Every structure is written in structure tokens, then in C-alpha cells.
């Protein structure tokens, strides 16, 4: 079986800027993926790299796009009003879904792009189907729309409604696999580096309001699913490195204003992690990559 190093990018909305810095650190260490697997904002970051090429230049442009996102109000902070607007179908053509779609298109993710157009790296995007309670993987079918995949994977209520298509009701991939290790294994990953944005520090343990109880329930389910997927990789003997990416203080999922700070933070965290990896393992990765480059 050929080596398949997968970068697995979790969901986390505005926290996704941390992944940009971590990706820079990995590329500077000459660690490059054969496969990019992403959920939600991880799918957005993975898609940009897959389309533009996995390079430091692309990372720089991705960071610029994150600065643009700070001015686009992609996930308005007044989520209660957004919820009411969705309930009464009053979002119209200026709601978060349309702003996000227009933002993606303006930054090169055009409706005509298909997975078969992507060269140099495999891209797998994870969404969840509410009708069957299962993961839906975009990417194995080269005819699938990349834009549709990203919008489905990032469909986070109340901001972005589920996508109804062919009997499926597609929603944010984080509902089924926020750190998509299992999808990476299913697509043949033989080694995995996982960039995890999970952060429950902003969920107060002493609060028992219905909103906080819901947040705790969702966090519990997400953590349990992640544990099971990590154990699956271990059971299959697939080496996995997980880099936990968190800001110095909690980051609200809608707060895109801290992009530069989070990119720098993600870079520092990843550099420290990579420096602590066993040297023989890092050397093996580099030797393997060198063999691939020589053909």
C-alpha cells in the first residue's frame, strides 16, 4: 500500500485561523500531505489549499482571505436575531448563507469547479446527513461540486440552513465528525496529522441555563466521537499526531476579528509540537517525501 499522509482539519468556525498558522509550520518543516480532509471551517481551509496548491505562498494568501473575512460578517454575533429570522424565513438574499456563498465565489471557489479539477493533492470534505444520521463524503466522486461540498460542510444553524439535495438534509460536518479521522482512514490514510480546534473553555461549568446545557451536550457528543475516532486509528495501527490549537483566551465561533493573532498563535503551537516529535519519525517522513519527489 502506498503511503498516504493526511492532514485532518477540524471544524471550529472563526478558530480556523489557528489552522492557517499550523499549516505554515508544517510546510516549513517540509511535511506535506497527500490528502486534505476537512470538516466545516477545516473544509474551507483544506479546499483553498487544494485549489491553490499546498505551498507557503498559498498559506500567505489564505491568511489574507482570513483578514477579508473579518470584514464580511460571515457569522453575525447576534445569533438570537438570526434564529428568529430563520424561523420566520426573513433572511432573504442578504443573510449569512448568501454572504458566505458570495464570499467563497469572490475568492475563487466558483460554482463550476469539480473535485476532478483538483491536482496534486486529494481533497475530502465531510458533511452530515440529518435524514440518515451518517457522514457524507465529498471528493471520491470527481464530478461533485466543490462549492456545494463546502457550503454543505459549513451549514451551521442558525446561520446557515441545512442543504436539501437528493433526499439528503446536509448539515455542518461537525455534527457527525468534527475531527474527521475516520473519514481519512476510510479514504486510505496511512499516517495522519490532525489539527484540532476544539475548545470548551467558554462553556461555564456552573451555568445551568438551557443554552449552556445544550452547549455542554453538544460538546460531550463531539468529544466522545473524537475519542472513538482516535481509538480507531490506534486500533488500525495508523500513526496519528494531534495538534490541539487554542487561542490564549477562548474564541467565539463568530469572532473573525482576531485572525492575525490566531494565525500567529497557531504557528507557535505547531512549531513547538513539531520540535517535540521524535527525530527519527520526522526523518522518516522527510525520507519518504524525498523518495516521492524523485518518483
Amino acid at each position: 500500500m502506498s503511503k498516504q499522509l493526511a492532514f485532518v482539519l477540524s471544524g471550529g468556525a472563526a478558530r480556523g485561523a489557528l489552522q492557517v498558522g499550523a499549516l505554515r509550520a508544517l510546510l516549513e518543516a517540509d511535511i506535506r500531505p497527500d490528502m486534505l480532509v476537512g470538516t466545516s471551517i477545516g473544509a474551507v481551509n483544506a479546499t483553498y489549499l487544494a485549489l491553490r496548491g499546498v505551498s507557503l505562498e498559498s498559506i500567505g494568501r489564505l491568511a489574507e482571505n482570513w483578514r477579508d473575512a473579518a470584514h464580511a460578517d460571515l457569522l453575525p454575533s447576534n445569533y438570537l436575531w438570526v434564529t428568529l429570522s430563520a424561523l420566520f424565513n426573513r433572511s432573504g438574499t442578504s443573510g449569512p448563507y448568501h454572504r458566505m456563498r458570495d464570499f467563497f465565489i469572490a475568492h475563487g471557489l466558483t460554482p463550476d469547479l469539480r473535485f476532478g479539477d483538483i491536482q496534486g493533492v486529494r481533497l475530502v470534505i465531510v458533511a452530515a446527513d440529518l435524514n440518515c444520521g451518517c457522514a457524507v463524503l465529498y471528493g471520491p466522486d470527481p464530478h461533485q461540486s466543490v462549492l456545494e461540498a463546502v457550503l454543505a460542510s459549513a451549514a451551521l444553524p442558525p446561520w446557515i440552513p441545512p442543504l436539501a439535495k437528493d433526499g439528503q438534509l446536509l448539515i455542518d460536518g461537525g455534527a457527525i465528525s468534527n475531527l474527521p479521522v475516520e473519514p481519512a482512514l476510510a479514504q486510505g490514510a496511512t499516517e495522519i496529522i490532525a489539527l484540532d480546534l476544539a475548545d470548551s473553555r467558554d462553556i461555564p461549568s456552573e451555568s445551568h441555563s438551557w443554552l449552556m446545557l445544550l452547549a455542554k451536550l453538544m460538546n460531550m457528543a463531539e468529544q466522545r466521537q473524537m475519542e472513538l475516532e482516535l481509538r480507531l486509528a490506534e486500533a488500525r495501527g495508523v500513526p496519528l499526531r494531534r495538534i490541539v490549537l487554542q487561542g490564549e483566551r477562548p474564541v467565539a465561533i463568530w469572532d473573525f476579528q482576531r485572525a492575525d493573532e490566531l494565525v500567529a498563535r497557531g504557528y507557535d503551537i505547531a512549531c513547538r509540537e513539531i520540535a517535540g516529535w521524535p527525530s527519527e519519525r520526522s526523518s522518516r517522513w522527510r525520507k519518504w517525501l524525498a523518495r516521492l519527489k524523485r518518483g
Side-chain angles (χ1 to χ4, degrees):
M1 179 184 295
S2 63
K3 296 288 187 180
Q4 288 288 306
L5 172 59
F7 284 3
V8 167
L9 280 61
S10 85
R15 301 169 190 154
L18 289 157
Q19 290 177 344
V20 180
L23 288 165
R24 175 179 290 280
L26 288 166
L27 295 189
E28 287 183 354
D30 199 25
I31 301 172
R32 299 174 182 273
D34 302 287
M35 185 191 316
L36 292 162
V37 184
T39 287
S40 195
I41 198 63
V44 177
N45 286 333
T47 298
Y48 187 89
L49 281 189
L51 292 177
R52 300 291 184 179
V54 182
S55 67
L56 289 172
E57 181 181 1
S58 295
I59 292 292
R61 291 179 179 174
L62 180 57
E64 292 176 4
N65 287 353
W66 271 90
R67 297 185 191 101
D68 293 342
H71 306 290
D73 197 24
L74 295 179
L75 297 181
S77 60
N78 57 335
Y79 57 89
L80 291 178
W81 172 249
V82 173
T83 302
L84 290 173
S85 296
L87 286 174
F88 291 99
N89 196 27
R90 297 186 61 183
S91 58
T93 60
S94 60
Y97 168 83
H98 297 280
R99 283 202 295 275
M100 186 170 290
R101 185 179 188 275
D102 291 345
F103 182 86
F104 290 155
I105 292 174
H107 288 81
L109 187 49
T110 55
D112 60 303
L113 282 169
R114 297 293 182 266
F115 280 86
D117 298 324
I118 297 172
Q119 304 295 320
V121 67
R122 293 176 60 197
L123 174 65
V124 178
I125 292 177
V126 182
D129 182 4
L130 289 175
N131 287 339
C132 71
C134 60
V136 174
L137 303 188
Y138 284 88
D141 181 351
H143 303 293
Q144 289 174 308
S145 164
V146 181
L147 178 60
E148 176 190 304
V150 173
L151 288 172
S153 184
L156 179 63
W159 293 278
I160 310 298
L163 174 65
K165 183 177 185 293
D166 299 332
Q168 297 175 319
L169 192 59
L170 302 174
I171 197 172
D172 191 296
I176 196 77
S177 182
N178 197 52
L179 187 66
V181 169
E182 192 279 333
L185 294 172
Q187 293 302 305
T190 60
E191 298 194 55
I192 294 173
I193 297 176
L195 303 183
D196 185 7
L197 300 173
D199 189 351
S200 60
R201 291 177 297 170
D202 58 350
I203 304 176
S205 59
E206 66 278 2
S207 175
H208 301 296
S209 70
W210 70 268
L211 190 59
M212 287 299 102
L213 288 175
L214 179 60
K216 291 176 184 179
L217 176 62
M218 294 174 63
N219 179 68
M220 180 178 65
E222 178 183 307
Q223 290 300 312
R224 180 57 176 164
Q225 178 66 28
M226 181 187 67
E227 290 173 6
L228 291 173
E229 295 194 40
L230 293 176
R231 290 179 186 177
L232 179 62
E234 182 180 5
R236 294 188 180 180
V238 174
L240 185 150
R241 293 283 177 181
R242 174 177 165 231
I243 303 178
V244 178
L245 299 169
Q246 296 181 345
E248 291 187 8
R249 61 186 191 280
V251 181
I253 61 173
W254 56 78
D255 185 7
F256 285 80
Q257 303 299 317
R258 296 168 57 185
D260 285 334
E261 168 198 336
L262 295 179
V263 170
R265 171 78 172 174
Y267 178 80
D268 290 341
I269 292 173
C271 283
R272 290 195 298 269
E273 287 285 333
I274 294 168
W277 291 351
S279 57
E280 66 274 11
R281 183 176 179 81
S282 298
S283 176
R284 181 159 61 90
W285 264 336
R286 292 187 175 91
K287 288 179 181 178
W288 163 49
L289 288 165
R291 288 198 300 269
L292 289 181
K293 289 175 183 177
R294 290 195 299 267

